[in-house]
Amino acid sequence: ISICRDLPNIEVITFSVNGISDLEPLNQCQNLSELYLRKNNIKSLNELFYLKNLPRLRVLWLSENPCCGSDPHHYRMTVLRNLPSLQKLDNQAVTEEELSQALVDGEEITAPPARRSVENGCPESTESSAAESTTETESELLNFTLEETNKIREELGMKPVPRDKFSSFSPRETDCNRKKRNNVLNAILLLMKELDAEGLEIVQQTVGRRLQAFRKKELQEE
């Protein structure tokens, strides 16, 4: 998820089912308002340290990660103590009573987690993540994450995100080269949201020339 360092204006990110364990790249996304991290490999709640300075973060979905632990109350209280601006956590609305209770029952996070040897991008695979990758295809993941995103936005009185403006980072794959290609593609799609009409026309012309070159090459090879 290192590409997030170059996306400071991104507002909605879905990283569901990606084997992500490190949230440090997100601390540059100052306009981020919705973050979906369901079914990843986030082991420590100390990763929340990187989200504490995101002033617009209102929706977080962190369930089905190892950091949730066996005590759901302690988990929720700790998240809300460190991210008191959240309006919704794990598809459940945050109440004023919970925010007050979080000051008592939640754990204050004051330092980032210890660095790990395995970097995000091509992490070592596990049996559970492999099972998730086979049971949730890329298209199914996109449909589900778009649906869950818009459901939450509707409940918060926000406009839904159109499909053509929604990007979901693809599930983890064992082929590192293909993973890199998918990440580059998603980064390009996200960055295109920052372009005006003139910029998009330039992109369209460039893509057209590239496609013509590829087709010409294919015809030559045949």
Side-chain angles (χ1 to χ4, degrees), residues 120-187:
N120 285 329
C122 239
E124 55 186 288
S125 60
T126 62
E127 292 182 3
S128 60
S129 63
E132 289 168 359
S133 295
T134 56
T135 56
E136 294 195 51
T137 65
E138 188 169 340
S139 60
E140 289 172 343
L141 177 62
L142 175 58
N143 290 333
F144 179 75
T145 52
L146 177 59
E147 181 181 348
E148 70 181 10
T149 299
N150 283 335
K151 181 179 179 181
I152 290 177
R153 291 174 71 88
E154 180 182 359
E155 292 174 359
L156 293 175
M158 303 166 66
K159 294 182 179 180
V161 180
R163 171 172 283 275
D164 61 349
K165 294 185 178 181
F166 182 86
S167 292
S168 174
F169 284 69
S170 60
R172 235 177 12 169
E173 295 176 291
T174 57
D175 185 344
C176 290
N177 291 330
R178 188 176 178 186
K179 177 68 174 180
K180 181 179 179 180
R181 184 201 65 183
N182 287 341
N183 283 340
V184 170
L185 177 60
N186 281 310

Side-chain angles (χ1 to χ4, degrees), residues 5-207:
R5 295 190 181 96
D6 300 320
L7 301 172
N9 295 321
I10 193 69
E11 297 180 8
V12 179
I13 295 180
T14 296
F15 281 138
S16 298
V17 199
N18 264 276
I20 291 169
S21 59
D22 183 1
L23 301 184
E24 185 273 334
L26 298 175
N27 67 359
Q28 302 295 324
C29 302
Q30 291 295 299
N31 287 331
L32 187 63
S33 61
E34 300 174 39
L35 178 60
Y36 301 89
L37 295 167
R38 182 182 57 88
K39 284 189 178 181
N40 277 288
N41 193 34
I42 301 170
K43 297 180 180 179
S44 172
L45 285 176
N46 284 355
E47 295 290 343
L48 295 175
F49 178 83
Y50 299 117
L51 306 181
K52 293 182 69 172
N53 294 321
L54 301 183
R56 299 185 179 182
L57 187 61
R58 296 293 181 268
V59 176
L60 175 64
W61 198 323
L62 194 60
S63 63
E64 299 177 83
N65 275 279
C67 66
C68 298
S70 57
D71 186 345
H73 177 74
H74 177 265
Y75 152 71
R76 189 172 177 88
M77 292 296 99
T78 296
V79 175
L80 295 181
R81 175 165 182 173
N82 291 278
L83 303 175
S85 296
L86 288 180
Q87 297 177 2
K88 204 153 197 178
L89 173 61
D90 297 337
N91 202 29
Q92 183 178 344
V94 176
T95 66
E96 292 295 332
E97 290 76 11
E98 283 184 310
L99 292 175
S100 298
Q101 192 64 36
L103 296 175
V104 178
D105 296 346
E107 180 181 347
E108 179 72 20
I109 295 173
T110 58
R115 289 294 180 185
R116 291 169 290 277
S117 59
V118 178
E119 295 292 335
N120 285 329
C122 239
E124 55 186 288
S125 60
T126 62
E127 292 182 3
S128 60
S129 63
E132 289 168 359
S133 295
T134 56
T135 56
E136 294 195 51
T137 65
E138 188 169 340
S139 60
E140 289 172 343
L141 177 62
L142 175 58
N143 290 333
F144 179 75
T145 52
L146 177 59
E147 181 181 348
E148 70 181 10
T149 299
N150 283 335
K151 181 179 179 181
I152 290 177
R153 291 174 71 88
E154 180 182 359
E155 292 174 359
L156 293 175
M158 303 166 66
K159 294 182 179 180
V161 180
R163 171 172 283 275
D164 61 349
K165 294 185 178 181
F166 182 86
S167 292
S168 174
F169 284 69
S170 60
R172 235 177 12 169
E173 295 176 291
T174 57
D175 185 344
C176 290
N177 291 330
R178 188 176 178 186
K179 177 68 174 180
K180 181 179 179 180
R181 184 201 65 183
N182 287 341
N183 283 340
V184 170
L185 177 60
N186 281 310
I188 292 172
L189 293 175
L190 290 170
L191 287 170
M192 284 178 63
K193 298 177 183 179
E194 308 294 327
L195 298 177
D196 56 13
E198 182 180 358
L200 289 172
E201 288 178 0
I202 295 174
V203 171
Q204 184 181 35
Q205 294 170 5
T206 303
V207 171

